[in-house]
Amino acid sequence: LRQPPWRCADRSVWLHLPRPHRNMHTAQRPAYRAGQYRRAALAPLKGSEALVDRIAGRVIAATSDEYLVDTGGELLRCTLRGTLWQDRGKEDASLVVVGDEVRVEPGPAGQGAIEEVLPRRNALGRGREFQAYGGKGARQRRSRHAVRRRSDQVIAANVDQALLVFAAAQPRLNLSQVDQLIIASLSEDLPTILCVNKLDLAEDDLHESLKPYELVPVEVLTACAITGLGLDAIRERLHGRTTVVWGPSGVGKSTLINTLWPHVDLKVGHVSAMTGMGTHTTRSAAMFRTGDDTWVVDTPGWRHFTPRSLSRDAIDAVLRDVAKQAARCRFSDCRHDQEPG
Ligand code: GDP
């Protein structure tokens, strides 16, 4: 039989509960109280003056439910104020990302709550994708079963430039992925550096494959993170700026950052012998200070890149020079590759 509330073992606690709790069975109380807290968190702030005593900071690490905010001297572990996600849904991974400038209400013991995200200067990201349920036959089931469509995902915001890292081999250099990342970066007006790592494993034709990138406003560097070859040039390009280091898993991003700045000490993964692809070691984005005004954003790994949808005009604007050269070609059906046109 249920205990009536007035027979509650700890009567002193019961007497201090607000009235609606008194008439409720003990087992129901926590749920009721959780609801009450949620409603309080969702209550809109009263007027913009409520934000005046909030402090400004920058998000330097983000996981699914916690954010580390640098307030220029102090690091705060922050959650999101409910007002931020009530319109867009808590699952929106792009609500607050690494690099975001935010206003925070500080709390006790190094904690706080993010109340506002300031407008982004730029936002590097990837497009939405269809996600079929995994397992055997997922492909065939795709048409009949529910498929979850995710929204575009912002990886990092407010950066000064992008360092796109690929490997010459292991995993193999996927030029269409290189093109997609270059377009994603240039369409955000970011100065872009393409770094081809693992030079020790490169085939002889590597420089030939990279030749078309002379037409694109991208600086191409080659490096070997293990031997340190070519790293001085990268260190020099990154000095005094905030750089997002972006590329597929297993290409050596963490090794590169660790060799350049050993104090950062990122976990290094391995390339799977079975798939020839990298394993994901970095699970969430984070930025590190590597010198005066020099910040590096390490991004989570991925194997397949889905570009954000861009209009034809936007892509043409990014690849203006390539389009100009292509227009001068003698052949109408040319691939602009090895042909004499
Ligand atoms: P990330 O997923 O892009 O961060 O890649 P990791 O830094 O975790 O490196 C994946 C694997 O590639 C590790 O086993 C590294 O030791 C290896 N690796 C990284 N750079 C080089 C390189 O320049 N040459 C060779 N041969 N291996 C490398």
Side-chain angles (χ1 to χ4, degrees):
L1 277 176
R2 282 178 165 196
Q3 279 261 28
W6 52 90
R7 297 253 174 86
C8 181
D10 190 349
R11 272 187 75 82
S12 60
V13 171
W14 179 67
L15 285 171
H16 285 97
L17 289 173
R19 249 197 115 68
H21 287 123
R22 288 195 194 183
N23 303 331
M24 200 182 284
H25 189 271
T26 327
Q28 290 174 322
R29 278 181 205 148
Y32 183 89
R33 294 180 67 182
Q36 203 176 39
Y37 289 136
R38 206 176 62 234
R39 271 193 296 281
L42 284 170
L45 289 171
K46 290 189 199 83
S48 55
E49 70 278 6
L51 294 175
V52 169
D53 57 346
R54 306 299 181 246
I55 49 175
R58 179 154 71 156
V59 177
I60 62 165
T63 61
S64 56
D65 54 0
E66 204 176 42
Y67 302 86
L68 198 58
V69 177
D70 179 4
T71 58
E74 206 187 345
L75 291 182
L76 297 180
R77 300 183 86 87
C78 294
T79 50
L80 288 191
R81 183 63 88 220
T83 39
L84 267 179
W85 50 259
Q86 64 180 347
D87 294 339
R88 289 169 53 188
K90 203 175 181 183
E91 284 76 32
D92 187 344
S94 309
L95 213 51
V96 180
V97 299
V98 166
D100 266 336
E101 276 149 20
V102 292
R103 284 190 185 278
V104 174
E105 184 193 357
Q111 296 187 329
I114 297 177
E115 301 229 322
E116 191 189 3
V117 182
L118 303 185
R120 293 172 180 155
R121 270 189 292 133
N122 52 50
L124 206 60
R126 53 180 173 167
R128 59 177 63 185
E129 62 187 20
F130 283 102
Q131 194 179 25
Y133 292 115
K136 218 171 158 195
R139 245 164 194 265
Q140 286 87 332
R141 273 188 271 126
R142 204 175 254 210
S143 53
R144 284 189 293 118
H145 287 258
V147 209
R148 197 149 55 95
R149 185 192 266 275
R150 297 192 303 177
S151 53
D152 283 8
Q153 187 189 1
V154 178
I155 310 254
N158 304 325
V159 292
D160 297 330
Q161 61 181 6
L163 178 72
L164 309 180
V165 184
F166 283 85
Q170 292 181 22
R172 82 178 172 85
L173 183 60
N174 181 337
L175 291 178
S176 73
Q177 261 184 6
V178 176
D179 297 347
Q180 286 170 345
L181 253 62
I182 288 179
I183 291 174
S185 171
L186 291 180
S187 65
E188 287 294 317
D189 273 337
L190 286 177
T192 305
I193 305 161
L194 169 66
C195 168
V196 181
N197 187 35
K198 304 202 186 184
L199 203 55
D200 52 324
L201 306 176
E203 303 278 333
D204 295 339
D205 63 353
L206 176 68
H207 288 281
E208 200 57 39
S209 334
L210 296 177
K211 224 164 175 233
Y213 297 104
E214 286 170 8
L215 290 175
V216 194
V218 167
E219 186 174 10
V220 182
L221 299 175
T222 49
C224 175
I226 301 260
T227 59
L229 190 80
L231 297 199
D232 285 343
I234 298 178
R235 188 185 286 119
E236 193 190 304
R237 301 303 188 286
L238 269 51
H239 182 74
R241 293 171 180 200
T242 300
T243 309
V244 57
V245 180
W246 204 22
S249 292
V251 294
K253 297 184 295 297
S254 311
T255 314
L256 206 68
I257 294 175
N258 285 346
T259 317
L260 282 166
W261 303 283
H263 70 276
V264 175
D265 196 20
L266 295 176
K267 204 169 154 222
V268 170
H270 65 279
V271 176
S272 158
M274 201 164 76
T275 60
M277 294 201 257
T279 49
H280 311 312
T281 32
T282 306
R283 303 243 162 229
S284 50
M287 61 197 286
F288 306 92
R289 192 157 168 265
T290 57
D292 291 341
D293 292 332
T294 308
W295 289 81
V296 171
V297 183
D298 182 36
T299 54
W302 44 265
R303 283 178 190 163
H304 307 288
F305 180 74
T306 325
R308 276 169 162 177
S309 55
L310 287 173
S311 68
R312 179 84 213 198
D313 289 347
I315 296 176
D316 281 352
V318 168
L319 301 175
R320 228 173 292 120
D321 297 340
V322 181
K324 248 190 255 164
Q325 292 274 350
R328 264 193 257 141
C329 186
R330 277 194 280 146
F331 307 116
S332 58
D333 57 347
C334 187
R335 285 183 300 130
H336 316 304
D337 187 10
Q338 306 284 330
E339 296 85 344

